[in-house]
Amino acid sequence: MSKKTRIILAEDEPALAQIVKESLETRNFEVILCKDGEEAFDAFKNEKIELIVLDVMMPKKDGFSVAKDIRKLDNKIPIIFLTAKSQTQDVVDGFNFGGNDYLKKPFSMEELIVRIHSLLGRKINLETNQNIVIGNYFFNLTKQTLQCSAAIISLTHREAVLLELLSENKNKIVNRSLILNKIWGNDDFFTGRSMDVFITKLRKKLSLDPNIQIINVRGQGCKLIC
C-alpha cells in the first residue's frame, strides 16, 4: 500500500470540514482536521506535513495570519486557501501572505483534488532539475532559491515554477494565457492579477543584477531579459 500524503485541513464549518476530510481520505490522504487557525498552526509545528489547506475566515487566527506565520518557518510547503471571498484584493492578499493557490467556495472536491495533486506534482518535479544560470544568479530548483554572490533568496513554489518557465524561454515572449493556464490552471481576471503580483515579486528578488528584466509586452505576455 502506498504511503499516505499527510495534509492539514483547517476549516471551522463542521459539516463542510467532515465532507472534505472524508473525501480526501478516500483518495489516500491522511488528514489532520483543525477547527481554527491556532490549532492549524500548532499542528503544522508538531506534525510532519506535506500540504496545508486553510479556510480564510476562521476563529482565533484567520487563514492569512496562519500562512504568514508558517512562511516564517517554512517557505516551501504548499498552501491552498479556501474562501467565500471573491474580491480581487482578497485574491491578491492571499498570494501576498504566502499562498500557492486559492479556491473559492462553493467548490467541487474534484477541483480541490486537482489543485492538491498539481502542487505536490510541481514539488516533485522541481527536485529533479539542476541549477539554471540567470545573469549573475544561480537558480536552484531543488532548493527553490536564487543565489547572487553571498546572497541567498528563497522562492515560493509558484515563484519557482514561474521563473523556470520564463528562464526556459529567456529573451523570448511567453504568452500570458499560456503562463496562466500552465501555472494557475485558468486565465481569468483574478489569476491574471495574482500573476502580476508574482512577477513583481520576482523582479524584486532579481534586482541585485541590474541587467535582468522581466518586461510585460502589452497584449502578448512576459519576457525575461538577461
Side-chain angles (χ1 to χ4, degrees), residues 134-137 203 206-207 209-214 224-226:
I134 302 175
N136 292 328
Y137 286 85
R203 285 187 182 121
L206 292 166
S207 62
D209 184 344
N211 294 317
I212 298 175
Q213 297 180 66
I214 301 177
L224 173 67
I225 300 174
C226 56

Side-chain angles (χ1 to χ4, degrees), residues 33-169:
L33 184 59
C34 303
K35 64 181 180 298
D36 60 58
E38 286 186 0
E39 192 174 314
F41 188 55
D42 287 341
F44 163 75
K45 290 187 293 183
N46 296 318
E47 303 286 346
K48 187 174 177 59
I49 301 297
E50 294 177 62
L51 183 139
I52 303 170
V53 180
L54 294 175
D55 184 30
V56 172
M57 300 300 293
M58 290 189 292
K60 296 186 179 180
K61 201 180 191 74
D62 66 79
F64 290 162
S65 298
V66 175
K68 185 178 179 180
D69 287 344
I70 287 172
R71 286 297 179 232
K72 293 175 183 177
L73 303 175
D74 188 327
N75 200 40
K76 296 181 179 180
I77 189 166
I79 297 174
I80 300 176
F81 286 119
L82 303 178
T83 182
K85 293 186 173 185
S86 60
Q87 295 299 312
T88 303
Q89 190 57 47
D90 296 321
V91 177
V92 173
D93 286 344
F95 290 116
N96 280 333
F97 281 113
N100 299 95
D101 212 337
Y102 199 105
L103 199 55
K104 297 170 196 167
K105 299 177 181 178
F107 58 88
S108 72
M109 275 308 304
E110 290 307 317
E111 184 176 7
L112 177 59
I113 295 297
V114 166
R115 303 286 184 99
I116 290 173
H117 280 303
S118 178
L119 285 173
L120 292 174
R122 286 184 195 134
K123 181 180 178 183
I124 293 167
N125 290 337
L126 284 170
E127 291 171 353
T128 66
N129 286 302
Q130 303 299 315
N131 286 345
I132 296 172
V133 176
I134 302 175
N136 292 328
Y137 286 85
F138 287 100
F139 174 26
N140 189 309
L141 286 167
T142 302
K143 297 179 180 179
Q144 294 178 204
T145 58
L146 283 167
Q147 182 170 356
C148 184
S149 299
I152 299 177
I153 303 158
S154 295
L155 300 173
T156 66
H157 283 287
R158 187 157 278 164
E159 286 171 348
V161 174
L162 177 56
L163 185 56
E164 180 186 15
L165 181 58
L166 292 173
S167 64
E168 286 175 346
N169 297 276

Side-chain angles (χ1 to χ4, degrees), residues 7-11 14 17-18 21 31-35 39 43:
I7 70 175
I8 288 173
L9 170 64
E11 171 57 66
Q18 196 59 38
K21 179 178 184 290
V31 181
I32 297 174
L33 184 59
C34 303
K35 64 181 180 298
E39 192 174 314

